[in-house]
């Protein structure tokens, strides 16, 4: 596990990188989108996936869009090492408190993760036209799409990221969400070994 401080657009981040398997778990907005870094960390530990999280150790939380994060050494190393990325984000669509939007450029992988998450009290949506445009994760400058096979962007509501109604440190992701993503990542690893 390697930690490194980086500065992006004047905001200081602490990155945590652990190189392991070819599937990568990415949390670009840890702390700002509470629970995403903790969720990525737990899933990576249980599946042997590579991990990269960005958190903000001091100052007011600043949300920098994914398309503007990078290049920096930890992210470049992550993207070079992994073949497919699962990027965890948080949405605050109050009208959709139990909806998980499953975007990103790798649509077969998106459907695999959605299937693994479909047993939860949440509803995964993979149809791109049904996902709000800012949450689709399709832009080529988005790191989720910059590995060999592209990736999947999971936009999780608050209840799917943390078990606490008010922010805590660290956040505690819901057990059923952890189990669902773990199952999906394990299936993706099997597919990756077969080279899709």
């Amino acid at each position: 596990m390697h930690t490194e401080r980086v500065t992006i657009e004047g905001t200081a981040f602490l990155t945590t990188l652990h190189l392991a398997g070819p599937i990568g778990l990415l949390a670009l907005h840890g702390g700002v989108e509470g629970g995403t870094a903790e969720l990525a960390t737990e899933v990576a530990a249980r599946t042997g996936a590579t991990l990269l999280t960005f958190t903000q150790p001091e100052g007011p939380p600043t949300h920098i869009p994914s398309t503007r994060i990078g290049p920096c050494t930890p992210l470049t190393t992550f993207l070079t090492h992994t073949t497919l990325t699962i990027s965890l984000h948080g949405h605050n669509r109050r009208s959709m408190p139990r909806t998980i939007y499953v975007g990103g450029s790798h649509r077969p992988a998106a459907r695999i993760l959605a299937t693994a998450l479909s047993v939860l009290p949440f509803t995964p949506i993979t149809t791109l036209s049904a996902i709000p445009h800012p949450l689709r994760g399709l832009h080529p400058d988005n790191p989720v799409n910059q590995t060999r096979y592209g990736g999947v962007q999971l936009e999780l509501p608050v209840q799917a990221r943390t078990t606490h109604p008010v922010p805590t440190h660290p956040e505690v992701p819901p057990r059923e969400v952890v189990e669902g993503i773990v199952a999906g990542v394990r299936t993706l690893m099997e597919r990756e070994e077969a080279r899709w």
Side-chain angles (χ1 to χ4, degrees):
M1 197 81 73
H2 175 74
T3 59
E4 181 177 334
R5 286 181 176 264
V6 300
T7 300
I8 300 170
E9 296 187 4
T11 299
F13 290 89
L14 181 65
T15 64
T16 300
L17 174 65
H18 178 70
L19 298 178
I23 305 294
L25 271 293
L26 179 63
L28 295 170
H29 301 121
V32 178
E33 297 173 351
T36 55
E38 291 86 352
L39 184 55
T41 300
E42 186 164 353
V43 172
R46 290 184 53 185
T47 60
T50 288
L51 171 72
L52 177 60
T53 63
F54 286 70
T55 56
Q56 295 177 33
E58 67 262 332
T62 302
H63 185 279
I64 298 174
S66 301
T67 55
R68 301 202 323 248
I69 293 183
C72 62
T73 300
L75 182 57
T76 300
T77 302
F78 174 90
L79 294 173
T80 301
H81 179 81
T82 58
T83 58
L84 185 142
T85 299
I86 299 162
S87 190
L88 303 182
H89 296 261
H91 76 79
N92 291 307
R93 307 272 165 152
R94 294 184 180 178
S95 62
M96 307 293 264
R98 292 195 173 273
T99 298
I100 298 174
Y101 296 111
V102 190
S105 62
H106 199 303
R107 304 317 296 155
R111 288 187 284 276
I112 287 170
L113 279 169
T115 298
L117 289 165
S118 64
V119 298
L120 307 177
F122 302 97
T123 302
I125 293 180
T126 59
T127 304
L128 289 173
S129 61
I131 300 174
H133 192 270
L135 307 182
R136 292 178 186 172
L138 296 176
H139 197 287
D141 291 340
N142 188 328
V144 72
N145 299 315
Q146 294 180 342
T147 46
R148 184 188 311 167
Y149 300 134
V152 180
Q153 182 160 305
L154 290 180
E155 291 279 355
L156 303 156
V158 173
Q159 294 177 42
R161 293 183 269 131
T162 180
T163 57
H164 299 291
V166 295
T168 61
H169 182 74
E171 298 282 2
V172 179
R175 181 61 34 208
E176 62 271 23
V177 176
V178 173
E179 297 292 343
I181 298 177
V182 164
V185 169
R186 287 177 175 159
T187 300
L188 290 174
M189 285 181 165
E190 293 171 3
R191 294 290 185 92
E192 201 282 337
E193 289 174 1
R195 295 296 183 267
W196 292 95

